[in-house]
Amino acid sequence: MAATASAAKPSTWSSIVKPAVVLVVICAIVGFLLGTVNNLTLPTIMANREARAWATYSSLIPEASDFVALECDVPGVTACMEAADGKGFAITAQAKGYSSQVPMAVAFDDEGVITNVIGMDNTETPGLGTKVKDPAFTDQFIGRAAEPITLDDIDAITGATISSKAALAALNEAIEAYQTTAGEAPAPAASTEKGAA
């Protein structure tokens, strides 16, 4: 009787160790395959990112034939480019909004005037925070001097104050980057708080 009772009871190998080994082997194979696919597609992913970046620069300064990357250590600035033939500067910067980074692309002429602003894709609240990329918001910066801008100076988006502040902070970071790369002394950073001096 003891022999039949032990035959009915599953062994430690088949009940615990074997399923664990099978899961580890499956995970190792899937991990290897995912890593291989990532390595195979990485050049295409990087080329697409660079193409999107160049499309943004070309949208900012359409008359520029080429761009040269400049050194920039301003926090929040993701790219600082000088347009060929002295056509100006294209700078992208981002700041933390309500739920994501709010990236802005800004073009400056050689006189330090903002000539174009593009609000880039973000994952802020649809219908509210995403409005920072609409021309109704971005066009208010065109023609301004490359000097810090406060929340009092702009028409913020109603119901999206945090996203508006983030877009303004990104814009001010781009202004600081322009001042630094154009050889001007950077002005003190302006507060994005309404009513701050």
Side-chain angles (χ1 to χ4, degrees), residues 68-174:
V68 176
L70 301 174
E71 285 283 326
C72 183
D73 59 355
V74 176
V77 173
T78 56
C80 186
M81 309 295 282
E82 183 174 10
D85 306 324
K87 303 282 185 190
F89 296 85
I91 301 173
T92 57
Q94 62 185 12
K96 177 73 172 109
Y98 180 72
S99 64
S100 68
Q101 293 291 323
V102 177
M104 302 293 283
V106 186
F108 300 91
D109 65 13
D110 287 330
E111 302 299 317
V113 175
I114 298 172
T115 58
N116 199 356
V117 177
I118 297 174
M120 301 166 69
D121 289 337
N122 63 63
T123 56
E124 293 291 278
T125 307
L128 288 175
T130 55
K131 288 184 179 180
V132 296
K133 65 182 187 172
D134 292 347
F137 180 76
T138 59
D139 287 353
Q140 66 184 316
F141 301 108
I142 296 173
R144 291 180 182 254
E147 297 172 357
I149 302 169
T150 66
L151 199 57
D152 289 331
D153 298 332
I154 67 165
D155 292 327
I157 297 169
T158 304
T161 306
I162 296 172
S163 299
S164 297
K165 286 180 182 178
L168 183 60
L171 191 85
N172 280 326
E173 289 164 356

